[in-house]
């Protein structure tokens, strides 16, 4: 979990994906075409989403807390997204629920401030809009 976060902070999508199982299930409470929840299945589809985001933003997160409970890891993080072209920044907090298979992440659920995150993507021009429809069909 911590090495995946370090890879994310360094901008290494492949470093993050190395910490996931091939059939990862990634769910976020925002990210669908109208800001609704979105589930992406499989490392290749997650790669596409993360690469599109990392093309336009720098993102840094800081783990505030983590606890193991009933086979799940629950985390709280703070994060900052910075749009490279304009310098617009978004600071937010989020929660995650992770399930592991061995030492790799098998399932990850992100819970953001959906309205705040959607407003940021609308402000900078959402690079993920091109892949949302294809990711939903997976």
């Amino acid at each position: 979990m911590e090495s995946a976060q370090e890879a994310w902070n360094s901008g290494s999508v492949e470093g993050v994906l190395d910490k996931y199982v091939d059939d990862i299930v990634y769910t976020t409470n925002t990210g669908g075409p109208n800001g609704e929840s979105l589930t992406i299945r499989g490392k290749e589809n997650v790669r596409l989403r993360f690469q599109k985001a990392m093309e336009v933003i720098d993102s840094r997160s800081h783990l505030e807390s983590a606890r193991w409970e009933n086979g799940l890891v629950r985390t709280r993080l703070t994060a900052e997204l910075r749009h490279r072209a304009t310098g617009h920044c978004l600071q937010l907090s989020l929660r995650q629920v992770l399930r592991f298979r061995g030492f790799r992440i098998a399932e990850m659920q992100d819970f953001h401030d959906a309205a705040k995150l959607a407003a940021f993507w609308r402000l900078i021009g959402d690079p993920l809009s091109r892949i949302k429809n294809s990711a939903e069909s997976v």
Side-chain angles (χ1 to χ4, degrees):
M1 178 182 66
E2 290 173 337
S3 59
Q5 181 191 5
E6 289 171 16
W8 181 262
N9 286 342
S10 71
S12 174
V13 172
E14 293 307 314
V16 173
L17 293 173
D18 184 53
K19 311 309 182 236
Y20 295 170
V21 298
D22 288 339
D23 59 342
I24 178 77
V25 177
Y26 170 71
T27 302
T28 180
N29 70 320
T30 184
N34 299 304
E36 71 276 7
S37 67
L38 175 70
T39 297
I40 302 172
R41 296 180 190 327
K43 197 181 274 191
E44 290 304 314
N45 294 315
V46 172
R47 174 181 283 113
L48 180 62
R49 180 171 181 87
F50 287 0
Q51 285 175 335
K52 287 295 179 193
M54 288 295 202
E55 287 175 3
V56 298
I57 64 166
D58 290 315
S59 177
R60 304 291 178 264
S61 63
H62 176 73
L63 183 64
E64 298 290 327
S65 67
R67 75 174 196 268
W68 178 268
E69 179 181 299
N70 298 324
L72 300 173
V73 175
R74 298 178 184 276
T75 69
R76 291 196 181 273
L77 299 104
T78 56
E80 180 176 289
L81 308 179
R82 187 186 65 77
H83 185 234
R84 290 185 186 137
T86 64
H88 290 306
C89 288
L90 171 67
Q91 294 181 347
L92 57 94
S93 59
L94 67 136
R95 295 181 301 115
Q96 291 180 320
V97 178
L98 303 120
R99 184 176 54 80
F100 286 78
R101 188 179 314 142
F103 292 103
R104 295 186 190 267
I105 299 169
E107 185 175 348
M108 182 169 68
Q109 299 174 5
D110 283 351
F111 299 93
H112 297 87
D113 179 332
K116 192 174 185 179
L117 191 57
F120 176 75
W121 286 117
R122 279 192 310 272
L123 175 69
I124 67 169
D126 187 354
L128 303 175
S129 63
R130 296 184 304 265
I131 63 170
K132 286 178 183 172
N133 291 337
S134 64
E136 285 181 319
S137 63
V138 176

